[in-house]
Coordinates of all heavy atoms in Angstrom, one line a residue:
M102 N 0.9 -1.1 0.0 CA 0.0 0.0 0.0 C 0.9 1.2 0.0 O 1.9 1.4 0.8 CB -0.9 0.0 1.2 CG -1.7 1.2 1.4 SD -2.7 0.9 2.8 CE -3.8 2.4 2.7
A103 N 0.7 2.2 -0.8 CA 1.4 3.4 -1.0 C 1.1 4.3 0.1 O 0.0 4.4 0.5 CB 1.2 4.0 -2.4
D104 N 2.1 5.0 0.6 CA 1.8 5.9 1.7 C 1.8 7.4 1.0 O 2.7 8.0 0.9 CB 3.0 5.9 2.7 CG 2.8 6.7 3.9 OD1 1.5 7.1 4.1 OD2 3.7 7.0 4.7
D105 N 0.5 7.7 0.6 CA 0.4 9.0 -0.1 C -0.2 10.1 0.7 O -0.6 11.1 0.3 CB -0.6 8.8 -1.3 CG -2.0 8.2 -0.9 OD1 -2.1 7.9 0.3 OD2 -2.8 8.1 -1.8
G106 N -0.2 9.9 2.1 CA -0.7 10.9 3.0 C -2.1 10.8 3.4 O -2.5 11.3 4.5
D107 N -3.0 10.2 2.5 CA -4.4 10.1 2.8 C -4.6 8.8 3.6 O -5.7 8.7 4.4 CB -5.2 10.0 1.5 CG -5.2 11.3 0.8 OD1 -5.0 12.4 1.4 OD2 -5.5 11.3 -0.4
H108 N -3.8 7.8 3.5 CA -4.0 6.6 4.2 C -2.7 6.3 5.0 O -1.6 6.6 4.6 CB -4.3 5.5 3.2 CG -5.5 5.7 2.4 ND1 -6.8 5.7 2.8 CD2 -5.5 6.0 1.0 CE1 -7.5 5.9 1.8 NE2 -6.9 6.2 0.7
S109 N -2.9 5.6 6.1 CA -1.8 5.2 6.8 C -1.6 3.7 6.6 O -2.5 3.0 6.3 CB -1.9 5.4 8.4 OG -3.1 4.8 8.8
P110 N -0.4 3.2 6.8 CA -0.1 1.8 6.6 C -0.9 1.0 7.7 O -1.2 1.5 8.8 CB 1.4 1.6 6.8 CG 1.9 3.0 7.0 CD 0.9 4.0 7.1
V111 N -1.2 -0.3 7.4 CA -1.8 -1.1 8.3 C -1.2 -1.2 9.6 O -1.8 -1.1 10.7 CB -2.1 -2.5 7.6 CG1 -2.7 -3.4 8.6 CG2 -2.9 -2.4 6.4
W112 N 0.1 -1.4 9.6 CA 0.9 -1.6 10.8 C 1.0 -0.4 11.7 O 1.2 -0.4 12.9 CB 2.3 -2.2 10.6 CG 3.2 -1.2 9.8 CD1 3.9 -0.2 10.3 CD2 3.3 -1.1 8.4 NE1 4.5 0.5 9.3 CE2 4.1 -0.1 8.1 CE3 2.7 -1.8 7.4 CZ2 4.5 0.2 6.8 CZ3 3.2 -1.5 6.0 CH2 3.9 -0.5 5.8
A113 N 0.6 0.8 11.2 CA 0.7 2.0 12.0 C -0.6 2.5 12.6 O -0.7 3.3 13.4 CB 1.2 3.2 11.1
R114 N -1.7 1.7 12.2 CA -3.0 2.1 12.8 C -3.1 1.5 14.2 O -2.6 0.5 14.5 CB -4.1 1.4 12.0 CG -4.1 2.0 10.5 CD -5.3 1.2 9.7 NE -5.1 1.6 8.4 CZ -5.6 1.0 7.3 NH1 -6.3 -0.2 7.6 NH2 -5.4 1.4 6.1
T115 N -3.6 2.3 15.0 CA -3.9 1.9 16.4 C -5.2 1.1 16.6 O -6.1 1.4 15.9 CB -3.9 3.1 17.4 OG1 -4.9 4.0 16.9 CG2 -2.6 3.9 17.3
R116 N -5.1 0.3 17.6 CA -6.4 -0.5 17.8 C -7.1 0.2 18.9 O -6.6 0.6 19.9 CB -6.0 -1.9 18.3 CG -5.3 -2.8 17.4 CD -4.8 -4.1 18.0 NE -5.7 -5.1 17.4 CZ -5.7 -6.3 17.9 NH1 -5.1 -6.7 18.9 NH2 -6.6 -7.2 17.3
R117 N -8.4 0.4 18.7 CA -9.3 1.0 19.7 C -9.8 -0.1 20.6 O -10.4 -1.1 20.1 CB -10.3 1.8 19.0 CG -9.9 3.0 18.2 CD -11.0 3.7 17.7 NE -12.2 3.6 18.4 CZ -13.3 4.3 18.0 NH1 -13.3 4.9 16.9 NH2 -14.4 4.1 18.7
R118 N -9.6 0.0 21.8 CA -10.1 -0.9 22.8 C -11.5 -0.4 23.2 O -11.7 0.8 23.5 CB -9.2 -1.0 24.0 CG -7.9 -1.5 23.7 CD -7.0 -1.7 24.9 NE -7.5 -2.9 25.6 CZ -7.2 -3.3 26.8 NH1 -6.5 -2.4 27.6 NH2 -7.6 -4.3 27.3
R119 N -12.4 -1.3 23.1 CA -13.8 -0.9 23.5 C -14.3 -1.7 24.7 O -13.9 -2.8 24.8 CB -14.8 -1.2 22.3 CG -14.4 -0.4 21.1 CD -15.4 -0.8 20.0 NE -14.8 -0.2 18.8 CZ -15.6 0.4 17.9 NH1 -16.9 0.4 18.0 NH2 -15.1 0.9 16.8
G120 N -14.9 -1.0 25.5 CA -15.5 -1.6 26.8 C -14.5 -1.6 27.9 O -13.4 -1.3 27.9
N121 N -15.1 -1.9 29.1 CA -14.4 -1.9 30.3 C -13.7 -3.3 30.5 O -14.5 -4.4 30.3 CB -15.4 -1.7 31.4 CG -14.8 -1.4 32.8 OD1 -13.6 -1.7 32.9 ND2 -15.6 -0.9 33.7
P122 N -12.5 -3.4 30.8 CA -11.8 -4.7 31.0 C -12.5 -5.5 32.1 O -12.4 -6.7 32.1 CB -10.4 -4.3 31.2 CG -10.4 -2.9 31.5 CD -11.5 -2.3 31.0
V123 N -12.9 -4.8 33.1 CA -13.6 -5.5 34.3 C -14.8 -6.4 33.8 O -15.0 -7.5 34.2 CB -13.9 -4.6 35.4 CG1 -14.7 -5.2 36.5 CG2 -12.8 -3.8 36.0
I124 N -15.5 -5.7 32.9 CA -16.7 -6.4 32.4 C -16.3 -7.7 31.6 O -16.9 -8.7 31.6 CB -17.6 -5.5 31.6 CG1 -18.3 -4.4 32.5 CG2 -18.7 -6.3 30.8 CD1 -19.0 -3.3 31.7
G125 N -15.2 -7.5 30.9 CA -14.6 -8.7 30.1 C -14.2 -9.8 31.1 O -14.5 -11.0 30.7
V126 N -13.6 -9.5 32.2 CA -13.2 -10.5 33.1 C -14.5 -11.2 33.7 O -14.5 -12.5 33.8 CB -12.4 -10.0 34.2 CG1 -12.1 -10.8 35.4 CG2 -11.0 -9.5 33.6
L127 N -15.5 -10.4 34.0 CA -16.7 -10.9 34.6 C -17.4 -11.9 33.6 O -17.8 -13.0 34.0 CB -17.6 -9.9 35.0 CG -17.3 -9.1 36.2 CD1 -18.2 -7.9 36.5 CD2 -17.2 -9.9 37.5
I128 N -17.5 -11.5 32.3 CA -18.0 -12.4 31.3 C -17.3 -13.6 31.1 O -17.9 -14.7 31.0 CB -18.2 -11.6 30.0 CG1 -19.3 -10.5 30.2 CG2 -18.5 -12.4 28.8 CD1 -19.4 -9.5 29.0
T129 N -15.9 -13.5 31.2 CA -15.1 -14.8 31.1 C -15.4 -15.7 32.2 O -15.5 -16.9 32.1 CB -13.7 -14.3 31.0 OG1 -13.5 -13.5 29.9 CG2 -12.8 -15.5 30.9
L130 N -15.5 -15.1 33.5 CA -15.6 -15.9 34.7 C -17.1 -16.6 34.6 O -17.3 -17.8 34.9 CB -15.6 -15.2 35.9 CG -14.1 -14.7 36.3 CD1 -14.1 -13.8 37.5 CD2 -13.2 -15.9 36.5
L131 N -18.1 -15.8 34.1 CA -19.4 -16.4 34.0 C -19.5 -17.5 32.9 O -20.1 -18.5 33.2 CB -20.4 -15.3 33.7 CG -20.8 -14.4 34.8 CD1 -21.6 -13.2 34.3 CD2 -21.5 -15.2 36.0
A132 N -18.7 -17.3 31.9 CA -18.6 -18.4 30.8 C -18.0 -19.6 31.4 O -18.4 -20.7 31.1 CB -17.9 -17.8 29.6
L133 N -16.9 -19.5 32.1 CA -16.2 -20.6 32.8 C -17.1 -21.3 33.7 O -17.1 -22.6 33.8 CB -14.9 -20.2 33.4 CG -13.8 -19.8 32.5 CD1 -12.6 -19.2 33.3 CD2 -13.4 -20.9 31.7
F134 N -17.8 -20.5 34.5 CA -18.7 -21.1 35.5 C -19.9 -21.9 34.8 O -20.2 -23.0 35.2 CB -19.4 -20.0 36.3 CG -20.3 -20.5 37.4 CD1 -19.8 -21.1 38.6 CD2 -21.7 -20.3 37.3 CE1 -20.7 -21.5 39.5 CE2 -22.5 -20.7 38.3 CZ -22.0 -21.4 39.4
G135 N -20.3 -21.4 33.7 CA -21.4 -22.0 32.9 C -20.9 -23.3 32.3 O -21.5 -24.3 32.3
A136 N -19.6 -23.2 31.7 CA -19.0 -24.5 31.2 C -18.8 -25.5 32.3 O -19.1 -26.8 32.0 CB -17.7 -24.1 30.5
L137 N -18.4 -25.2 33.5 CA -18.2 -26.1 34.6 C -19.6 -26.7 35.0 O -19.6 -27.9 35.1 CB -17.5 -25.3 35.8 CG -17.4 -26.2 37.0 CD1 -16.4 -27.4 36.7 CD2 -16.9 -25.4 38.1
T138 N -20.6 -25.9 35.0 CA -21.9 -26.4 35.4 C -22.5 -27.3 34.4 O -23.0 -28.4 34.6 CB -22.9 -25.2 35.5 OG1 -22.4 -24.3 36.5 CG2 -24.3 -25.7 36.0
A139 N -22.3 -27.0 33.1 CA -22.7 -28.0 32.0 C -21.9 -29.2 32.1 O -22.4 -30.4 31.9 CB -22.5 -27.2 30.6
G140 N -20.5 -29.2 32.2 CA -19.7 -30.3 32.4 C -20.1 -31.3 33.5 O -20.3 -32.5 33.4
L141 N -20.4 -30.7 34.7 CA -20.8 -31.4 35.8 C -22.2 -32.0 35.6 O -22.5 -33.1 36.0 CB -20.7 -30.7 37.1 CG -19.3 -30.4 37.6 CD1 -19.4 -29.5 38.8 CD2 -18.6 -31.7 38.0
G142 N -23.0 -31.2 35.0 CA -24.4 -31.8 34.7 C -24.3 -32.9 33.7 O -25.1 -33.9 33.9
I143 N -23.4 -33.0 32.7 CA -23.3 -34.1 31.9 C -22.7 -35.3 32.6 O -23.2 -36.4 32.4 CB -22.4 -33.7 30.6 CG1 -23.2 -32.7 29.7 CG2 -22.1 -34.9 29.8 CD1 -22.3 -32.1 28.7
K144 N -21.6 -35.0 33.4 CA -21.0 -36.1 34.1 C -22.0 -36.8 35.1 O -22.0 -38.0 35.3 CB -19.8 -35.6 34.9 CG -19.1 -36.6 35.7 CD -18.0 -36.0 36.5 CE -17.3 -37.0 37.4 NZ -17.3 -36.5 38.8
E145 N -22.7 -35.9 35.8 CA -23.6 -36.5 36.9 C -25.0 -36.9 36.3 O -25.9 -37.4 37.0 CB -23.8 -35.5 38.0 CG -22.6 -35.2 38.8 CD -22.0 -36.4 39.5 OE1 -22.8 -37.1 40.1 OE2 -20.7 -36.5 39.5
K146 N -25.3 -36.6 35.1 CA -26.5 -36.8 34.3 C -27.7 -36.1 34.9 O -28.8 -36.5 34.8 CB -26.7 -38.4 34.3 CG -25.7 -39.1 33.6 CD -26.0 -40.6 33.5 CE -24.9 -41.2 32.7 NZ -24.7 -42.6 33.0
S147 N -27.4 -35.0 35.6 CA -28.4 -34.1 36.1 C -27.8 -32.8 36.5 O -26.7 -32.8 37.2 CB -29.0 -34.8 37.4 OG -29.9 -33.8 38.1
L148 N -28.4 -31.7 36.1 CA -27.9 -30.4 36.5 C -28.0 -30.1 38.0 O -27.1 -29.5 38.7 CB -28.6 -29.3 35.8 CG -28.2 -29.1 34.3 CD1 -29.1 -28.0 33.7 CD2 -26.7 -28.8 34.1
A149 N -29.0 -30.7 38.6 CA -29.1 -30.6 40.1 C -28.1 -31.3 40.8 O -27.5 -30.8 41.8 CB -30.5 -31.2 40.6
E150 N -27.7 -32.5 40.4 CA -26.6 -33.3 41.1 C -25.2 -32.6 40.8 O -24.4 -32.5 41.7 CB -26.5 -34.7 40.6 CG -27.7 -35.5 41.1 CD -27.7 -36.9 40.7 OE1 -26.6 -37.4 40.4 OE2 -28.7 -37.6 40.7
G151 N -25.1 -32.0 39.5 CA -23.9 -31.3 39.3 C -23.7 -30.0 40.2 O -22.7 -29.7 40.7
G152 N -24.9 -29.3 40.4 CA -24.9 -28.1 41.3 C -24.7 -28.5 42.7 O -24.0 -27.8 43.4
A153 N -25.2 -29.6 43.1 CA -24.9 -30.2 44.5 C -23.5 -30.4 44.7 O -23.0 -30.1 45.8 CB -25.8 -31.3 44.7
M154 N -22.9 -30.9 43.7 CA -21.4 -31.2 43.8 C -20.6 -29.9 43.9 O -19.7 -29.8 44.8 CB -20.9 -32.0 42.5 CG -19.4 -32.4 42.6 SD -18.8 -33.2 41.2 CE -19.5 -34.8 41.5
M155 N -20.9 -28.9 43.1 CA -20.3 -27.6 43.3 C -20.6 -27.0 44.7 O -19.7 -26.4 45.3 CB -20.7 -26.7 42.1 CG -20.2 -27.0 40.7 SD -20.7 -26.1 39.4 CE -20.6 -24.5 39.9
D156 N -21.8 -27.1 45.1 CA -22.1 -26.6 46.4 C -21.3 -27.2 47.6 O -20.9 -26.6 48.5 CB -23.6 -26.8 46.8 CG -24.5 -25.9 46.0 OD1 -24.0 -24.9 45.5 OD2 -25.7 -26.2 45.9
G157 N -21.0 -28.5 47.4 CA -20.2 -29.2 48.3 C -18.7 -28.7 48.3 O -18.2 -28.5 49.4
W158 N -18.3 -28.5 47.1 CA -16.9 -27.9 47.0 C -16.9 -26.5 47.7 O -15.9 -26.2 48.5 CB -16.5 -27.7 45.6 CG -16.3 -29.0 44.9 CD1 -16.1 -30.2 45.4 CD2 -16.3 -29.1 43.4 NE1 -16.0 -31.1 44.3 CE2 -16.1 -30.5 43.1 CE3 -16.4 -28.2 42.4 CZ2 -16.0 -30.9 41.8 CZ3 -16.3 -28.6 41.1 CH2 -16.0 -30.0 40.8
I159 N -17.9 -25.7 47.4 CA -17.9 -24.3 48.0 C -18.0 -24.4 49.6 O -17.3 -23.7 50.2 CB -19.0 -23.5 47.4 CG1 -18.7 -23.2 45.9 CG2 -19.2 -22.1 48.1 CD1 -19.9 -22.6 45.1
S160 N -18.9 -25.2 50.0 CA -19.1 -25.3 51.5 C -17.9 -25.9 52.2 O -17.5 -25.4 53.3 CB -20.3 -26.2 51.8 OG -20.1 -27.5 51.5
S161 N -17.2 -26.8 51.6 CA -15.9 -27.3 52.3 C -14.8 -26.3 52.3 O -14.1 -26.1 53.2 CB -15.5 -28.6 51.6 OG -15.1 -28.4 50.2
A162 N -14.8 -25.5 51.2 CA -13.7 -24.4 51.2 C -14.1 -23.3 52.2 O -13.2 -22.8 52.8 CB -13.7 -23.8 49.7
W163 N -15.4 -23.0 52.3 CA -15.8 -22.0 53.2 C -15.6 -22.4 54.7 O -15.1 -21.7 55.5 CB -17.2 -21.7 53.1 CG -17.8 -20.6 53.9 CD1 -18.6 -20.8 55.0 CD2 -17.5 -19.3 53.9 NE1 -18.8 -19.7 55.6 CE2 -18.2 -18.6 55.0 CE3 -16.8 -18.5 53.0 CZ2 -18.1 -17.2 55.2 CZ3 -16.7 -17.0 53.2 CH2 -17.4 -16.5 54.4
T164 N -15.8 -23.7 55.0 CA -15.5 -24.3 56.3 C -14.0 -24.2 56.6 O -13.6 -23.9 57.7 CB -16.0 -25.7 56.4 OG1 -17.5 -25.7 56.1 CG2 -15.8 -26.2 57.7
K165 N -13.1 -24.6 55.6 CA -11.8 -24.5 55.8 C -11.3 -23.1 56.1 O -10.5 -22.9 57.0 CB -11.0 -25.1 54.6 CG -9.6 -25.2 54.8 CD -8.9 -25.7 53.5 CE -7.4 -25.9 53.7 NZ -6.8 -26.6 52.6
V166 N -11.8 -22.1 55.4 CA -11.4 -20.7 55.6 C -11.8 -20.3 56.9 O -11.0 -19.6 57.6 CB -12.0 -19.8 54.4 CG1 -11.8 -18.4 54.8 CG2 -11.3 -20.2 53.1
R167 N -13.0 -20.6 57.3 CA -13.5 -20.1 58.6 C -12.8 -20.8 59.8 O -12.5 -20.1 60.7 CB -15.0 -20.4 58.7 CG -15.9 -19.5 57.9 CD -17.3 -19.7 58.1 NE -17.7 -19.3 59.3 CZ -18.8 -19.4 59.9 NH1 -19.7 -20.1 59.3 NH2 -19.1 -19.0 61.2
G168 N -12.4 -22.0 59.5 CA -11.6 -22.8 60.6 C -10.2 -22.2 60.7 O -9.6 -22.2 61.9
E169 N -9.6 -21.8 59.7 CA -8.1 -21.3 59.8 C -8.0 -19.8 60.0 O -7.0 -19.3 60.3 CB -7.4 -21.6 58.4 CG -7.2 -23.1 58.2 CD -6.5 -23.5 57.0 OE1 -6.0 -22.6 56.3 OE2 -6.4 -24.7 56.6
A170 N -9.1 -19.1 59.8 CA -9.1 -17.6 59.9 C -8.6 -17.1 61.4 O -7.8 -16.3 61.5 CB -10.4 -17.0 59.6
P171 N -9.1 -17.7 62.4 CA -8.6 -17.3 63.8 C -7.2 -17.5 64.0 O -6.4 -16.7 64.6 CB -9.5 -18.1 64.8 CG -10.7 -18.5 64.0 CD -10.3 -18.6 62.5
K172 N -6.7 -18.7 63.5 CA -5.2 -19.1 63.6 C -4.4 -18.0 62.8 O -3.4 -17.5 63.4 CB -5.0 -20.4 63.2 CG -3.6 -20.9 63.3 CD -3.3 -22.3 63.0 CE -3.8 -22.6 61.6 NZ -3.4 -24.0 61.2
V173 N -4.8 -17.7 61.6 CA -4.1 -16.7 60.8 C -4.1 -15.4 61.5 O -3.1 -14.6 61.4 CB -4.6 -16.7 59.3 CG1 -4.0 -15.6 58.5 CG2 -4.4 -18.1 58.7
A174 N -5.3 -15.0 62.0 CA -5.4 -13.7 62.6 C -4.5 -13.6 63.8 O -3.9 -12.5 64.1 CB -6.9 -13.4 63.0
D175 N -4.5 -14.6 64.6 CA -3.5 -14.7 65.7 C -2.1 -14.5 65.4 O -1.3 -13.8 66.0 CB -3.7 -15.9 66.6 CG -5.0 -16.0 67.3 OD1 -5.6 -14.8 67.5 OD2 -5.4 -17.1 67.8
Q176 N -1.7 -15.1 64.3 CA -0.2 -15.0 63.8 C 0.0 -13.6 63.3 O 1.1 -13.1 63.5 CB -0.1 -16.1 62.7 CG -0.1 -17.5 63.1 CD 0.0 -18.5 62.0 OE1 -0.1 -18.1 60.8 NE2 0.3 -19.7 62.3
A177 N -0.9 -13.0 62.6 CA -0.8 -11.7 62.1 C -0.7 -10.7 63.3 O 0.1 -9.8 63.3 CB -1.9 -11.3 61.2
G178 N -1.5 -10.9 64.2 CA -1.5 -10.1 65.5 C -0.1 -10.1 66.3 O 0.4 -9.1 66.6
E179 N 0.4 -11.3 66.3 CA 1.7 -11.5 67.0 C 2.8 -10.9 66.2 O 3.7 -10.2 66.8 CB 2.0 -13.0 67.2 CG 1.1 -13.7 68.2 CD 1.3 -15.2 68.2 OE1 2.1 -15.7 67.4 OE2 0.6 -15.8 69.0
A180 N 2.7 -10.9 64.9 CA 3.7 -10.3 63.9 C 3.6 -8.8 64.1 O 4.7 -8.1 64.1 CB 3.6 -10.8 62.6
A181 N 2.4 -8.2 64.1 CA 2.3 -6.8 64.2 C 2.8 -6.4 65.6 O 3.4 -5.3 65.7 CB 0.8 -6.5 64.0
G182 N 2.6 -7.1 66.6 CA 3.0 -6.8 68.0 C 4.6 -6.8 68.0 O 5.3 -5.9 68.5
A183 N 5.2 -7.8 67.4 CA 6.6 -7.7 67.3 C 7.2 -6.6 66.5 O 8.2 -6.0 66.9 CB 7.1 -9.1 66.7
A184 N 6.6 -6.3 65.4 CA 7.0 -5.2 64.6 C 6.9 -3.8 65.5 O 7.8 -3.0 65.3 CB 6.2 -5.1 63.3
A185 N 5.8 -3.8 66.2 CA 5.6 -2.5 66.9 C 6.6 -2.4 68.0 O 7.2 -1.3 68.3 CB 4.1 -2.4 67.5
A186 N 7.0 -3.4 68.7 CA 8.0 -3.5 69.7 C 9.3 -3.1 69.1 O 10.1 -2.3 69.7 CB 8.1 -4.8 70.4
K187 N 9.6 -3.7 67.9 CA 10.9 -3.3 67.3 C 11.0 -1.9 66.9 O 12.0 -1.3 67.1 CB 11.1 -4.2 66.0 CG 12.4 -4.1 65.3 CD 12.6 -5.1 64.3 CE 13.9 -4.9 63.5 NZ 14.0 -5.8 62.3
A188 N 9.9 -1.3 66.4 CA 9.8 0.1 66.0 C 9.9 1.0 67.3 O 10.5 2.0 67.2 CB 8.6 0.4 65.2
G189 N 9.3 0.5 68.3 CA 9.3 1.2 69.6 C 10.8 1.3 70.1 O 11.2 2.4 70.7
D190 N 11.5 0.2 70.0 CA 12.9 0.2 70.4 C 13.8 1.1 69.7 O 14.8 1.6 70.1 CB 13.4 -1.3 70.5 CG 12.7 -2.1 71.5 OD1 12.1 -1.6 72.5 OD2 12.8 -3.3 71.4
A191 N 13.4 1.2 68.3 CA 14.3 1.9 67.5 C 14.2 3.4 67.6 O 15.1 4.1 67.4 CB 14.0 1.5 66.0
A192 N 13.0 3.9 68.1 CA 12.8 5.3 68.2 C 13.7 5.9 69.3 O 14.3 6.9 69.1 CB 11.4 5.6 68.5
P193 N 13.7 5.4 70.5 CA 14.7 6.0 71.5 C 16.2 5.8 71.1 O 17.0 6.8 71.3 CB 14.5 5.1 72.8 CG 13.1 4.4 72.6 CD 12.9 4.3 71.1
A194 N 16.5 4.8 70.4 CA 18.0 4.7 69.9 C 18.3 5.8 68.9 O 19.3 6.4 69.0 CB 18.2 3.3 69.4
G195 N 17.3 6.0 68.0 CA 17.6 7.1 67.0 C 17.6 8.4 67.7 O 18.4 9.3 67.3
A196 N 16.8 8.6 68.7 CA 16.8 9.9 69.4 C 18.0 10.2 70.1 O 18.7 11.3 70.2 CB 15.6 10.1 70.3
A197 N 18.5 9.1 70.7 CA 19.8 9.2 71.4 C 20.9 9.5 70.5 O 21.8 10.3 70.7 CB 20.1 7.9 72.2
A198 N 21.0 8.9 69.3 CA 22.0 9.1 68.3 C 21.9 10.5 67.8 O 23.0 11.2 67.7 CB 21.9 8.1 67.2
A199 N 20.8 11.1 67.6 CA 20.6 12.4 67.1 C 21.1 13.4 68.2 O 21.6 14.4 67.8 CB 19.1 12.7 66.7
S200 N 20.8 13.1 69.4 CA 21.2 14.0 70.5 C 22.7 14.0 70.6 O 23.3 15.0 70.9 CB 20.6 13.5 71.9 OG 21.0 14.2 72.9
D201 N 23.3 12.9 70.5 CA 24.8 12.8 70.5 C 25.4 13.6 69.4 O 26.4 14.2 69.7 CB 25.3 11.3 70.5 CG 24.9 10.5 71.7 OD1 24.7 11.2 72.8 OD2 24.8 9.3 71.7
E202 N 24.8 13.6 68.2 CA 25.4 14.3 67.1 C 25.2 15.8 67.3 O 26.1 16.6 66.9 CB 24.7 13.8 65.8 CG 25.1 12.5 65.4 CD 24.5 12.2 64.0 OE1 23.9 13.1 63.3 OE2 24.4 10.9 63.7
R203 N 24.2 16.3 67.9 CA 24.0 17.7 68.2 C 25.0 18.2 69.2 O 25.4 19.3 69.2 CB 22.6 17.9 68.8 CG 21.6 17.8 67.7 CD 20.2 18.4 68.1 NE 20.3 19.8 68.3 CZ 19.4 20.5 69.1 NH1 18.5 19.9 69.8 NH2 19.6 21.8 69.3
K204 N 25.5 17.3 70.2 CA 26.3 17.7 71.1 C 27.7 17.9 70.6 O 28.6 18.6 71.1 CB 26.5 16.7 72.3 CG 25.2 16.6 73.1 CD 25.3 15.6 74.2 CE 24.0 15.6 75.0 NZ 24.0 14.5 76.0
L205 N 28.0 17.3 69.5 CA 29.3 17.4 68.9 C 29.5 18.6 68.1 O 29.6 19.6 68.0 CB 29.7 16.1 67.9 CG 29.8 14.8 68.7 CD1 30.0 13.8 67.6 CD2 30.9 14.7 69.6

């Protein structure tokens, strides 16, 4: 294609993105969820039984998360306490060092 000023080469044209990328992700997730539902429905020979299988997966994951959440929260609290203690110890040491430098 000749570059005569009225037209731009194909490789120089910009692609226009249309739509919100979040909506694209949501549509993709819904399509995957639908495919999983259809696949389980075919495997179990009933959409109700396939849905029940998915409900079992979700409830077991939810139970596991709820069971481990207090333990993880306790660990996070202990780590935050240790970090606060370390920061508290560093503040007086820094103030002392700054005071010593001013005296010189």
